[in-house]
Amino acid sequence: MKIISLILTLFWFASSIEDFRATHVFMIGDSTMANKPERNLPEYGWGQVLNHFFTDAIVVDNHAKNGRSSKSFIDEGSWEKVITQVQKGDYVIIQFGHNDQKSDTARYTGPFDTYQDNLKRFINETKEKGGIPILCTSIVRRLFNENGTLRDSHGDYLTGVKQVANETGVYFIDMEAKTRKLVESMGQEKSKQLYLFFESGIYPHRPEGKEDNTHLSQLGAFTIAGLAVEEMKALDIPLVKQLVEK
């Protein structure tokens, strides 16, 4: 009887392992969030480093891509690849806007029509699969005015996201406001550390150097991912139960 009991216990344990699936955090958005290949270093996206904040019970599956708007992300089939994988209890972090402003027909969306429609589609289809959407505004561009404050380079797209968040009642992180506060507090010179600023001759694969007020350094990616995590904690999103203790 003891042998049979042991066999049954082992069988149950093996079945439980097979049934276990880590919670997935799918990320959809643009280049400020995307994973960067080695040829792009020292550029990072904040979604690229988010996994470092969580235990192995969370899998961060970053589908953000350079140059994508909410429209082009759908049209090229990237959203279909994501939503077919979403299961009950998974999260989908949504951050578009940078490229929805672009004038080309492949990417442009109106801030109060197509843009909002696309965001609602991401939200509704995630909910239909039992997933949990987290809606974000775009991170701020490092574009200082003469008075030391940052220009608003996203305009109505920020309002558009906030309206959708209010209408749908989903978790909402105002990444633009969070990053604006941080960058302004650091000032014009120190804030360059967060963005892609490096001199010529440092990186053999990028010999020309770079001064980029939109995309992030490794420090910037970790810092901004940390801001997102802080806001998740403030919102008491269940996901934060799996944060790595520091």
Side-chain angles (χ1 to χ4, degrees), residues 54 91 132-134 170-173 227-243:
F54 292 96
Y91 293 81
I132 303 161
I134 302 175
V170 298
Y171 290 121
F172 170 64
I173 301 177
L227 292 179
V229 168
E230 284 180 9
E231 198 63 16
M232 291 178 193
K233 290 165 69 175
L235 293 170
D236 199 24
I237 299 175
L239 182 63
V240 301
K241 295 177 182 178
Q242 295 298 334
L243 287 172

Side-chain angles (χ1 to χ4, degrees), residues 32-82:
T32 62
M33 179 190 274
N35 294 342
K36 307 296 178 176
E38 190 172 341
R39 67 178 180 273
N40 282 46
L41 295 178
E43 181 181 347
Y44 282 76
W46 71 266
Q48 184 173 356
V49 301
L50 188 63
N51 63 302
H52 293 281
F53 292 82
F54 292 96
T55 70
D56 291 341
I58 302 297
V59 173
V60 176
D61 198 348
N62 190 6
H63 289 258
K65 293 184 178 181
N66 290 10
R68 270 45 173 203
S69 69
S70 63
K71 180 180 186 298
S72 62
F73 196 82
I74 292 171
D75 290 347
E76 70 184 10
S78 293
W79 171 240
E80 186 63 26
K81 292 178 182 177
V82 173

Side-chain angles (χ1 to χ4, degrees), residues 51-118:
N51 63 302
H52 293 281
F53 292 82
F54 292 96
T55 70
D56 291 341
I58 302 297
V59 173
V60 176
D61 198 348
N62 190 6
H63 289 258
K65 293 184 178 181
N66 290 10
R68 270 45 173 203
S69 69
S70 63
K71 180 180 186 298
S72 62
F73 196 82
I74 292 171
D75 290 347
E76 70 184 10
S78 293
W79 171 240
E80 186 63 26
K81 292 178 182 177
V82 173
I83 194 60
T84 55
Q85 299 178 62
V86 174
Q87 297 186 26
K88 185 177 180 180
D90 287 343
Y91 293 81
V92 178
I93 301 178
I94 305 158
Q95 182 193 269
F96 288 99
H98 274 302
N99 298 305
D100 287 76
Q101 300 174 308
K102 302 296 173 67
S103 59
D104 56 284
T105 56
R107 293 185 289 181
Y108 175 78
T109 64
F112 300 117
D113 42 68
T114 313
Y115 181 54
Q116 290 188 325
D117 291 341
N118 291 341

